[in-house]
Amino acid sequence: MAYKVEILPAAWEDLKRIEDWYIVSFGVETALKVSNHILDVLERLEIFLDSGSMTPDPWLNQQGYRMIICGKHVAVYRKIEKSVYIYHIADTQTEYTKLFYI
C-alpha cells in the first residue's frame, strides 16, 4: 500500500534551518546534498512505512509518532489513515522530542 507523505510547515521550516546552517558551514553543494538526502528518506515512507522506529519518548509513542533517521537528522512523523505527516526534522544530537512540548 502506498501512503501520501505530507511535510507540514514546521518540518519545512526545520529543513530550511538545516539547509541554511550547511550553506554557512560547508557551502551550497553540501547543503543541497543533505536536504536531498533527507527528502529521499522521507519519500521512502510512501512504500516502506515500517522503516521508521519508535521515538525515545513514551508519550510520543502512545500518540502514534514514529521517527526515521536521515543521516545526522531525524524526522518525526505520524500515519493518519493513508497519509504520513512529517512534523519535525532535527539533528539527532538534540533533544528533538521536546519540540512537541512547546
Side-chain angles (χ1 to χ4, degrees):
M1 168 184 257
Y3 293 90
K4 180 179 179 185
V5 174
E6 294 194 40
I7 302 173
L8 298 175
W12 279 118
E13 289 175 23
D14 295 339
L15 186 60
K16 176 70 174 129
R17 278 192 293 278
I18 291 166
E19 281 182 339
D20 289 347
W21 186 85
Y22 274 91
I23 287 170
V24 170
S25 300
F26 302 105
V28 173
E29 187 175 326
T30 300
L32 290 174
K33 284 181 183 178
V34 170
S35 62
N36 285 337
H37 174 71
I38 292 169
L39 292 171
D40 288 345
V41 170
L42 297 180
E43 187 178 312
R44 286 186 219 140
L45 289 172
E46 291 177 352
I47 298 177
F48 302 108
L49 183 64
D50 292 330
S51 59
S53 61
M54 296 179 80
T55 74
D57 184 283
W59 182 83
L60 289 176
N61 294 333
Q62 289 174 354
Q63 304 309 308
Y65 290 96
R66 294 180 60 83
M67 66 178 197
I68 190 160
I69 303 296
C70 313
K72 292 183 177 186
H73 300 91
V74 60
V76 180
Y77 67 93
R78 183 164 55 167
K79 179 184 87 66
I80 301 174
E81 295 180 11
K82 295 186 183 202
S83 294
V84 177
Y85 295 95
I86 311 299
Y87 288 84
H88 283 290
I89 303 168
D91 189 302
T92 56
Q93 296 181 21
T94 63
E95 294 186 44
Y96 57 88
T97 58
K98 293 192 178 191
L99 294 168
F100 291 86
Y101 294 101
I102 296 174

